[in-house]
Structures are given as C-alpha cells and as structure tokens.
Amino acid sequence: MKSIHSLSSSKALKTLFLSAVFAISMPVFAMNLQQAMSALPNAKTQGLVGEQPNGYLGVVQNSPEAESIAKLINDARRAEYTRLAKENNIAVADVEAMAGQKAVECTSRGHYILLDGKWLQKR
C-alpha cells in the first residue's frame, strides 16, 4: 500500500505534468498577465507592440499574441492608474498622460512609439 506522502507526491507530479502539457498545447494568444509581462520585452523588440502617449500599449503589427499582450497589460495598467488617481485625488486621464509621457521617454531605441498618430521607431 502506498503511503499518503507518495500518493500526494504522485498526484502533484500528475498535476504538474498535465499543467505543462496544457500550457504547451494552448494557443499563444491565451496567456495570463504574468506571461504577457514576460513576453513584453520580446514583443517590443519584434515591433509587435509599442508605447502610446495615453499610457497604454498599442498594437503595431496585428497578431493574436500582440493583441493579447496589449490587452492584459493595458487592463493591469488601467487598474493601477485608477488606483493612483483615487489615492492622489486626481483624474485618471492625468495619471494616464503622465504615465504615457514617461513610457514614451523611457522607450528603448528601436522600439515603437506612437507620435502624431503614426508608429515610429525611437531613435
């Protein structure tokens, strides 16, 4: 008869294995926020997404991956901007504008930024 420890260990291994198989079989665009954050630097380098003056990511090249990354990160940013606005008794639009300005300024050379309605690579 197996001990309780070996049963729980066996169950944990099965769960881990099934999770790994499921993750590998998932479409690229079905990701969570943590995965989106991990994928963001590469997506910026590939020119899939870029920073906008409104404080949010924009999709430079349409793809399910780019759209998923932008949506997940923008949802998190929106929640944080709302929290900061409430905490500081200012408008969310003001927080978005400040964050957008900083994001555009901090964007690395070669990555995309939206200026005057056009995507440009930052020089």
Side-chain angles (χ1 to χ4, degrees):
M1 187 165 169
K2 291 185 175 181
S3 70
I4 293 174
H5 177 69
S6 66
L7 283 174
S8 65
S9 178
S10 175
K11 186 176 180 181
L13 285 174
K14 279 183 181 177
T15 302
L16 181 63
F17 175 74
L18 291 174
S19 296
V21 169
F22 181 71
I24 291 169
S25 66
M26 286 175 37
V28 173
F29 56 87
M31 61 177 63
N32 63 34
L33 178 59
Q34 188 67 28
Q35 292 166 325
M37 294 294 290
S38 295
L40 181 58
N42 193 41
K44 284 184 171 185
T45 299
Q46 291 178 5
L48 299 177
V49 297
E51 294 291 348
Q52 302 179 101
N54 66 1
Y56 298 99
L57 287 174
V59 175
V60 178
Q61 294 182 27
N62 286 327
S63 74
E65 180 183 16
E67 291 173 15
S68 184
I69 291 168
K71 182 189 179 330
L72 288 164
I73 292 174
N74 286 341
D75 288 348
R77 286 182 180 184
R78 189 171 292 107
E80 182 64 8
Y81 297 161
T82 301
R83 184 191 69 76
L84 287 169
K86 190 174 191 175
E87 186 177 286
N88 293 287
N89 199 29
I90 59 176
V92 174
D94 291 338
V95 176
E96 291 169 336
M98 287 185 282
Q101 180 180 358
K102 185 171 181 173
V104 168
E105 288 171 2
C106 294
T107 294
S108 300
R109 284 185 71 203
H111 291 185
Y112 283 86
I113 55 175
L114 186 67
L115 291 177
D116 299 324
K118 295 179 184 172
W119 287 110
L120 303 171
Q121 278 187 295
K122 189 169 179 185
R123 296 180 188 263

PDB file of all heavy atoms in Angstrom, residues 74-105:
ATOM      1  N   ASN A  74      -2.598  46.361 -20.612  1.00  0.00           N
ATOM      2  CA  ASN A  74      -3.403  47.583 -20.518  1.00  0.00           C
ATOM      3  C   ASN A  74      -4.464  47.485 -19.428  1.00  0.00           C
ATOM      4  O   ASN A  74      -4.739  48.464 -18.738  1.00  0.00           O
ATOM      5  CB  ASN A  74      -4.037  47.923 -21.865  1.00  0.00           C
ATOM      6  CG  ASN A  74      -3.030  48.474 -22.845  1.00  0.00           C
ATOM      7  OD1 ASN A  74      -1.953  48.927 -22.457  1.00  0.00           O
ATOM      8  ND2 ASN A  74      -3.372  48.447 -24.110  1.00  0.00           N
ATOM      9  N   ASP A  75      -5.060  46.311 -19.267  1.00  0.00           N
ATOM     10  CA  ASP A  75      -6.038  46.128 -18.185  1.00  0.00           C
ATOM     11  C   ASP A  75      -5.372  46.341 -16.825  1.00  0.00           C
ATOM     12  O   ASP A  75      -5.938  46.992 -15.940  1.00  0.00           O
ATOM     13  CB  ASP A  75      -6.670  44.735 -18.250  1.00  0.00           C
ATOM     14  CG  ASP A  75      -7.638  44.565 -19.414  1.00  0.00           C
ATOM     15  OD1 ASP A  75      -8.005  45.577 -20.053  1.00  0.00           O
ATOM     16  OD2 ASP A  75      -8.018  43.408 -19.695  1.00  0.00           O
ATOM     17  N   ALA A  76      -4.163  45.803 -16.667  1.00  0.00           N
ATOM     18  CA  ALA A  76      -3.428  45.979 -15.406  1.00  0.00           C
ATOM     19  C   ALA A  76      -3.027  47.441 -15.210  1.00  0.00           C
ATOM     20  O   ALA A  76      -3.133  47.975 -14.101  1.00  0.00           O
ATOM     21  CB  ALA A  76      -2.197  45.076 -15.385  1.00  0.00           C
ATOM     22  N   ARG A  77      -2.586  48.077 -16.287  1.00  0.00           N
ATOM     23  CA  ARG A  77      -2.224  49.490 -16.192  1.00  0.00           C
ATOM     24  C   ARG A  77      -3.438  50.337 -15.825  1.00  0.00           C
ATOM     25  O   ARG A  77      -3.354  51.212 -14.969  1.00  0.00           O
ATOM     26  CB  ARG A  77      -1.633  49.992 -17.516  1.00  0.00           C
ATOM     27  CG  ARG A  77      -0.223  49.508 -17.790  1.00  0.00           C
ATOM     28  CD  ARG A  77       0.304  50.095 -19.080  1.00  0.00           C
ATOM     29  NE  ARG A  77       1.661  49.640 -19.374  1.00  0.00           N
ATOM     30  CZ  ARG A  77       2.380  50.065 -20.399  1.00  0.00           C
ATOM     31  NH1 ARG A  77       1.884  50.977 -21.232  1.00  0.00           N
ATOM     32  NH2 ARG A  77       3.601  49.606 -20.592  1.00  0.00           N
ATOM     33  N   ARG A  78      -4.571  50.057 -16.464  1.00  0.00           N
ATOM     34  CA  ARG A  78      -5.802  50.822 -16.190  1.00  0.00           C
ATOM     35  C   ARG A  78      -6.178  50.713 -14.711  1.00  0.00           C
ATOM     36  O   ARG A  78      -6.524  51.715 -14.067  1.00  0.00           O
ATOM     37  CB  ARG A  78      -6.935  50.311 -17.076  1.00  0.00           C
ATOM     38  CG  ARG A  78      -8.198  51.166 -17.034  1.00  0.00           C
ATOM     39  CD  ARG A  78      -9.199  50.720 -18.097  1.00  0.00           C
ATOM     40  NE  ARG A  78      -8.678  51.007 -19.441  1.00  0.00           N
ATOM     41  CZ  ARG A  78      -8.223  50.078 -20.299  1.00  0.00           C
ATOM     42  NH1 ARG A  78      -8.241  48.803 -19.991  1.00  0.00           N
ATOM     43  NH2 ARG A  78      -7.763  50.426 -21.491  1.00  0.00           N
ATOM     44  N   ALA A  79      -6.077  49.522 -14.162  1.00  0.00           N
ATOM     45  CA  ALA A  79      -6.390  49.321 -12.747  1.00  0.00           C
ATOM     46  C   ALA A  79      -5.423  50.104 -11.861  1.00  0.00           C
ATOM     47  O   ALA A  79      -5.838  50.739 -10.886  1.00  0.00           O
ATOM     48  CB  ALA A  79      -6.339  47.829 -12.401  1.00  0.00           C
ATOM     49  N   GLU A  80      -4.156  50.090 -12.204  1.00  0.00           N
ATOM     50  CA  GLU A  80      -3.157  50.827 -11.421  1.00  0.00           C
ATOM     51  C   GLU A  80      -3.348  52.329 -11.562  1.00  0.00           C
ATOM     52  O   GLU A  80      -3.249  53.068 -10.579  1.00  0.00           O
ATOM     53  CB  GLU A  80      -1.739  50.422 -11.852  1.00  0.00           C
ATOM     54  CG  GLU A  80      -0.646  51.101 -11.074  1.00  0.00           C
ATOM     55  CD  GLU A  80      -0.601  50.758  -9.583  1.00  0.00           C
ATOM     56  OE1 GLU A  80      -1.333  49.864  -9.125  1.00  0.00           O
ATOM     57  OE2 GLU A  80       0.181  51.414  -8.865  1.00  0.00           O
ATOM     58  N   TYR A  81      -3.633  52.816 -12.771  1.00  0.00           N
ATOM     59  CA  TYR A  81      -3.870  54.250 -12.970  1.00  0.00           C
ATOM     60  C   TYR A  81      -5.088  54.703 -12.164  1.00  0.00           C
ATOM     61  O   TYR A  81      -5.077  55.774 -11.563  1.00  0.00           O
ATOM     62  CB  TYR A  81      -4.096  54.576 -14.448  1.00  0.00           C
ATOM     63  CG  TYR A  81      -2.925  54.284 -15.356  1.00  0.00           C
ATOM     64  CD1 TYR A  81      -3.129  54.167 -16.733  1.00  0.00           C
ATOM     65  CD2 TYR A  81      -1.626  54.128 -14.891  1.00  0.00           C
ATOM     66  CE1 TYR A  81      -2.071  53.915 -17.598  1.00  0.00           C
ATOM     67  CE2 TYR A  81      -0.571  53.857 -15.750  1.00  0.00           C
ATOM     68  CZ  TYR A  81      -0.798  53.751 -17.101  1.00  0.00           C
ATOM     69  OH  TYR A  81       0.244  53.501 -17.962  1.00  0.00           O
ATOM     70  N   THR A  82      -6.121  53.878 -12.149  1.00  0.00           N
ATOM     71  CA  THR A  82      -7.334  54.200 -11.394  1.00  0.00           C
ATOM     72  C   THR A  82      -7.021  54.264  -9.898  1.00  0.00           C
ATOM     73  O   THR A  82      -7.460  55.182  -9.203  1.00  0.00           O
ATOM     74  CB  THR A  82      -8.431  53.159 -11.677  1.00  0.00           C
ATOM     75  OG1 THR A  82      -8.709  53.166 -13.087  1.00  0.00           O
ATOM     76  CG2 THR A  82      -9.706  53.456 -10.917  1.00  0.00           C
ATOM     77  N   ARG A  83      -6.244  53.306  -9.415  1.00  0.00           N
ATOM     78  CA  ARG A  83      -5.857  53.288  -8.003  1.00  0.00           C
ATOM     79  C   ARG A  83      -5.041  54.533  -7.658  1.00  0.00           C
ATOM     80  O   ARG A  83      -5.301  55.200  -6.653  1.00  0.00           O
ATOM     81  CB  ARG A  83      -5.043  52.032  -7.692  1.00  0.00           C
ATOM     82  CG  ARG A  83      -4.683  51.882  -6.211  1.00  0.00           C
ATOM     83  CD  ARG A  83      -3.659  50.784  -5.981  1.00  0.00           C
ATOM     84  NE  ARG A  83      -2.344  51.116  -6.497  1.00  0.00           N
ATOM     85  CZ  ARG A  83      -1.486  51.964  -5.915  1.00  0.00           C
ATOM     86  NH1 ARG A  83      -1.805  52.587  -4.809  1.00  0.00           N
ATOM     87  NH2 ARG A  83      -0.295  52.186  -6.455  1.00  0.00           N
ATOM     88  N   LEU A  84      -4.064  54.867  -8.502  1.00  0.00           N
ATOM     89  CA  LEU A  84      -3.226  56.043  -8.247  1.00  0.00           C
ATOM     90  C   LEU A  84      -4.037  57.335  -8.286  1.00  0.00           C
ATOM     91  O   LEU A  84      -3.825  58.230  -7.473  1.00  0.00           O
ATOM     92  CB  LEU A  84      -2.086  56.111  -9.264  1.00  0.00           C
ATOM     93  CG  LEU A  84      -0.969  55.090  -9.083  1.00  0.00           C
ATOM     94  CD1 LEU A  84      -0.045  55.080 -10.295  1.00  0.00           C
ATOM     95  CD2 LEU A  84      -0.189  55.372  -7.800  1.00  0.00           C
ATOM     96  N   ALA A  85      -4.946  57.424  -9.225  1.00  0.00           N
ATOM     97  CA  ALA A  85      -5.781  58.622  -9.337  1.00  0.00           C
ATOM     98  C   ALA A  85      -6.627  58.800  -8.083  1.00  0.00           C
ATOM     99  O   ALA A  85      -6.707  59.897  -7.519  1.00  0.00           O
ATOM    100  CB  ALA A  85      -6.668  58.534 -10.575  1.00  0.00           C
ATOM    101  N   LYS A  86      -7.225  57.717  -7.635  1.00  0.00           N
ATOM    102  CA  LYS A  86      -8.065  57.777  -6.437  1.00  0.00           C
ATOM    103  C   LYS A  86      -7.230  58.127  -5.210  1.00  0.00           C
ATOM    104  O   LYS A  86      -7.620  58.974  -4.399  1.00  0.00           O
ATOM    105  CB  LYS A  86      -8.765  56.424  -6.255  1.00  0.00           C
ATOM    106  CG  LYS A  86      -9.826  56.412  -5.204  1.00  0.00           C
ATOM    107  CD  LYS A  86     -10.541  55.064  -5.221  1.00  0.00           C
ATOM    108  CE  LYS A  86     -11.782  55.125  -4.372  1.00  0.00           C
ATOM    109  NZ  LYS A  86     -12.554  53.892  -4.445  1.00  0.00           N
ATOM    110  N   GLU A  87      -6.071  57.482  -5.097  1.00  0.00           N
ATOM    111  CA  GLU A  87      -5.182  57.699  -3.960  1.00  0.00           C
ATOM    112  C   GLU A  87      -4.690  59.154  -3.894  1.00  0.00           C
ATOM    113  O   GLU A  87      -4.480  59.692  -2.813  1.00  0.00           O
ATOM    114  CB  GLU A  87      -3.983  56.759  -4.087  1.00  0.00           C
ATOM    115  CG  GLU A  87      -3.037  56.740  -2.932  1.00  0.00           C
ATOM    116  CD  GLU A  87      -1.932  55.717  -3.164  1.00  0.00           C
ATOM    117  OE1 GLU A  87      -2.218  54.506  -3.045  1.00  0.00           O
ATOM    118  OE2 GLU A  87      -0.804  56.124  -3.471  1.00  0.00           O
ATOM    119  N   ASN A  88      -4.498  59.787  -5.058  1.00  0.00           N
ATOM    120  CA  ASN A  88      -3.965  61.146  -5.120  1.00  0.00           C
ATOM    121  C   ASN A  88      -5.018  62.200  -5.437  1.00  0.00           C
ATOM    122  O   ASN A  88      -4.676  63.357  -5.672  1.00  0.00           O
ATOM    123  CB  ASN A  88      -2.821  61.201  -6.138  1.00  0.00           C
ATOM    124  CG  ASN A  88      -1.634  60.400  -5.666  1.00  0.00           C
ATOM    125  OD1 ASN A  88      -0.931  60.817  -4.768  1.00  0.00           O
ATOM    126  ND2 ASN A  88      -1.439  59.222  -6.252  1.00  0.00           N
ATOM    127  N   ASN A  89      -6.276  61.769  -5.507  1.00  0.00           N
ATOM    128  CA  ASN A  89      -7.390  62.676  -5.769  1.00  0.00           C
ATOM    129  C   ASN A  89      -7.194  63.503  -7.046  1.00  0.00           C
ATOM    130  O   ASN A  89      -7.345  64.719  -7.061  1.00  0.00           O
ATOM    131  CB  ASN A  89      -7.626  63.589  -4.557  1.00  0.00           C
ATOM    132  CG  ASN A  89      -9.000  64.210  -4.582  1.00  0.00           C
ATOM    133  OD1 ASN A  89      -9.948  63.636  -5.116  1.00  0.00           O
ATOM    134  ND2 ASN A  89      -9.125  65.397  -4.024  1.00  0.00           N
ATOM    135  N   ILE A  90      -6.803  62.800  -8.105  1.00  0.00           N
ATOM    136  CA  ILE A  90      -6.656  63.436  -9.422  1.00  0.00           C
ATOM    137  C   ILE A  90      -7.396  62.592 -10.457  1.00  0.00           C
ATOM    138  O   ILE A  90      -7.788  61.463 -10.184  1.00  0.00           O
ATOM    139  CB  ILE A  90      -5.169  63.617  -9.829  1.00  0.00           C
ATOM    140  CG1 ILE A  90      -4.437  62.268  -9.885  1.00  0.00           C
ATOM    141  CG2 ILE A  90      -4.452  64.576  -8.885  1.00  0.00           C
ATOM    142  CD1 ILE A  90      -3.002  62.364 -10.382  1.00  0.00           C
ATOM    143  N   ALA A  91      -7.551  63.137 -11.629  1.00  0.00           N
ATOM    144  CA  ALA A  91      -8.274  62.437 -12.696  1.00  0.00           C
ATOM    145  C   ALA A  91      -7.430  61.298 -13.262  1.00  0.00           C
ATOM    146  O   ALA A  91      -6.203  61.418 -13.388  1.00  0.00           O
ATOM    147  CB  ALA A  91      -8.634  63.416 -13.806  1.00  0.00           C
ATOM    148  N   VAL A  92      -8.094  60.214 -13.627  1.00  0.00           N
ATOM    149  CA  VAL A  92      -7.410  59.079 -14.253  1.00  0.00           C
ATOM    150  C   VAL A  92      -6.709  59.546 -15.526  1.00  0.00           C
ATOM    151  O   VAL A  92      -5.578  59.132 -15.804  1.00  0.00           O
ATOM    152  CB  VAL A  92      -8.404  57.931 -14.557  1.00  0.00           C
ATOM    153  CG1 VAL A  92      -7.730  56.815 -15.339  1.00  0.00           C
ATOM    154  CG2 VAL A  92      -9.006  57.386 -13.270  1.00  0.00           C
ATOM    155  N   ALA A  93      -7.330  60.433 -16.273  1.00  0.00           N
ATOM    156  CA  ALA A  93      -6.719  60.943 -17.517  1.00  0.00           C
ATOM    157  C   ALA A  93      -5.383  61.620 -17.239  1.00  0.00           C
ATOM    158  O   ALA A  93      -4.457  61.522 -18.061  1.00  0.00           O
ATOM    159  CB  ALA A  93      -7.670  61.902 -18.217  1.00  0.00           C
ATOM    160  N   ASP A  94      -5.263  62.278 -16.096  1.00  0.00           N
ATOM    161  CA  ASP A  94      -3.995  62.923 -15.748  1.00  0.00           C
ATOM    162  C   ASP A  94      -2.914  61.878 -15.463  1.00  0.00           C
ATOM    163  O   ASP A  94      -1.761  62.039 -15.869  1.00  0.00           O
ATOM    164  CB  ASP A  94      -4.165  63.844 -14.541  1.00  0.00           C
ATOM    165  CG  ASP A  94      -5.015  65.069 -14.853  1.00  0.00           C
ATOM    166  OD1 ASP A  94      -5.135  65.435 -16.051  1.00  0.00           O
ATOM    167  OD2 ASP A  94      -5.586  65.645 -13.905  1.00  0.00           O
ATOM    168  N   VAL A  95      -3.289  60.818 -14.775  1.00  0.00           N
ATOM    169  CA  VAL A  95      -2.341  59.737 -14.494  1.00  0.00           C
ATOM    170  C   VAL A  95      -1.932  59.071 -15.803  1.00  0.00           C
ATOM    171  O   VAL A  95      -0.744  58.799 -16.026  1.00  0.00           O
ATOM    172  CB  VAL A  95      -2.939  58.702 -13.515  1.00  0.00           C
ATOM    173  CG1 VAL A  95      -1.975  57.536 -13.301  1.00  0.00           C
ATOM    174  CG2 VAL A  95      -3.300  59.354 -12.194  1.00  0.00           C
ATOM    175  N   GLU A  96      -2.895  58.815 -16.682  1.00  0.00           N
ATOM    176  CA  GLU A  96      -2.595  58.201 -17.977  1.00  0.00           C
ATOM    177  C   GLU A  96      -1.615  59.056 -18.772  1.00  0.00           C
ATOM    178  O   GLU A  96      -0.651  58.533 -19.353  1.00  0.00           O
ATOM    179  CB  GLU A  96      -3.888  58.017 -18.782  1.00  0.00           C
ATOM    180  CG  GLU A  96      -4.818  56.974 -18.216  1.00  0.00           C
ATOM    181  CD  GLU A  96      -6.191  56.989 -18.860  1.00  0.00           C
ATOM    182  OE1 GLU A  96      -6.612  58.032 -19.403  1.00  0.00           O
ATOM    183  OE2 GLU A  96      -6.860  55.939 -18.818  1.00  0.00           O
ATOM    184  N   ALA A  97      -1.850  60.372 -18.795  1.00  0.00           N
ATOM    185  CA  ALA A  97      -0.981  61.275 -19.550  1.00  0.00           C
ATOM    186  C   ALA A  97       0.441  61.290 -18.985  1.00  0.00           C
ATOM    187  O   ALA A  97       1.421  61.246 -19.749  1.00  0.00           O
ATOM    188  CB  ALA A  97      -1.563  62.688 -19.559  1.00  0.00           C
ATOM    189  N   MET A  98       0.557  61.327 -17.654  1.00  0.00           N
ATOM    190  CA  MET A  98       1.889  61.312 -17.037  1.00  0.00           C
ATOM    191  C   MET A  98       2.606  59.983 -17.315  1.00  0.00           C
ATOM    192  O   MET A  98       3.795  59.969 -17.636  1.00  0.00           O
ATOM    193  CB  MET A  98       1.782  61.550 -15.531  1.00  0.00           C
ATOM    194  CG  MET A  98       1.432  62.972 -15.164  1.00  0.00           C
ATOM    195  SD  MET A  98       1.440  63.265 -13.381  1.00  0.00           S
ATOM    196  CE  MET A  98      -0.136  62.543 -12.897  1.00  0.00           C
ATOM    197  N   ALA A  99       1.869  58.904 -17.187  1.00  0.00           N
ATOM    198  CA  ALA A  99       2.455  57.582 -17.438  1.00  0.00           C
ATOM    199  C   ALA A  99       2.845  57.436 -18.905  1.00  0.00           C
ATOM    200  O   ALA A  99       3.903  56.879 -19.217  1.00  0.00           O
ATOM    201  CB  ALA A  99       1.474  56.482 -17.041  1.00  0.00           C
ATOM    202  N   GLY A 100       2.014  57.944 -19.799  1.00  0.00           N
ATOM    203  CA  GLY A 100       2.308  57.874 -21.225  1.00  0.00           C
ATOM    204  C   GLY A 100       3.555  58.649 -21.585  1.00  0.00           C
ATOM    205  O   GLY A 100       4.398  58.174 -22.350  1.00  0.00           O
ATOM    206  N   GLN A 101       3.680  59.842 -21.024  1.00  0.00           N
ATOM    207  CA  GLN A 101       4.863  60.661 -21.296  1.00  0.00           C
ATOM    208  C   GLN A 101       6.128  59.935 -20.828  1.00  0.00           C
ATOM    209  O   GLN A 101       7.119  59.872 -21.550  1.00  0.00           O
ATOM    210  CB  GLN A 101       4.742  62.014 -20.597  1.00  0.00           C
ATOM    211  CG  GLN A 101       5.932  62.922 -20.843  1.00  0.00           C
ATOM    212  CD  GLN A 101       5.801  64.270 -20.138  1.00  0.00           C
ATOM    213  OE1 GLN A 101       4.798  64.556 -19.477  1.00  0.00           O
ATOM    214  NE2 GLN A 101       6.812  65.093 -20.268  1.00  0.00           N
ATOM    215  N   LYS A 102       6.065  59.388 -19.627  1.00  0.00           N
ATOM    216  CA  LYS A 102       7.220  58.678 -19.085  1.00  0.00           C
ATOM    217  C   LYS A 102       7.537  57.429 -19.912  1.00  0.00           C
ATOM    218  O   LYS A 102       8.694  57.143 -20.196  1.00  0.00           O
ATOM    219  CB  LYS A 102       6.981  58.297 -17.628  1.00  0.00           C
ATOM    220  CG  LYS A 102       8.185  57.671 -16.984  1.00  0.00           C
ATOM    221  CD  LYS A 102       8.018  57.491 -15.502  1.00  0.00           C
ATOM    222  CE  LYS A 102       9.286  56.885 -14.935  1.00  0.00           C
ATOM    223  NZ  LYS A 102       9.283  56.834 -13.497  1.00  0.00           N
ATOM    224  N   ALA A 103       6.508  56.689 -20.309  1.00  0.00           N
ATOM    225  CA  ALA A 103       6.713  55.465 -21.090  1.00  0.00           C
ATOM    226  C   ALA A 103       7.362  55.774 -22.435  1.00  0.00           C
ATOM    227  O   ALA A 103       8.277  55.075 -22.869  1.00  0.00           O
ATOM    228  CB  ALA A 103       5.386  54.735 -21.297  1.00  0.00           C
ATOM    229  N   VAL A 104       6.892  56.827 -23.090  1.00  0.00           N
ATOM    230  CA  VAL A 104       7.468  57.215 -24.388  1.00  0.00           C
ATOM    231  C   VAL A 104       8.923  57.650 -24.194  1.00  0.00           C
ATOM    232  O   VAL A 104       9.808  57.267 -24.965  1.00  0.00           O
ATOM    233  CB  VAL A 104       6.624  58.313 -25.067  1.00  0.00           C
ATOM    234  CG1 VAL A 104       7.344  58.915 -26.250  1.00  0.00           C
ATOM    235  CG2 VAL A 104       5.274  57.738 -25.510  1.00  0.00           C
ATOM    236  N   GLU A 105       9.180  58.440 -23.155  1.00  0.00           N
ATOM    237  CA  GLU A 105      10.547  58.899 -22.887  1.00  0.00           C
ATOM    238  C   GLU A 105      11.484  57.740 -22.572  1.00  0.00           C
ATOM    239  O   GLU A 105      12.642  57.754 -22.971  1.00  0.00           O
ATOM    240  CB  GLU A 105      10.563  59.881 -21.702  1.00  0.00           C
ATOM    241  CG  GLU A 105       9.980  61.232 -22.013  1.00  0.00           C
ATOM    242  CD  GLU A 105       9.815  62.107 -20.773  1.00  0.00           C
ATOM    243  OE1 GLU A 105      10.193  61.684 -19.644  1.00  0.00           O
ATOM    244  OE2 GLU A 105       9.290  63.233 -20.932  1.00  0.00           O
TER     245      GLU A 105
END
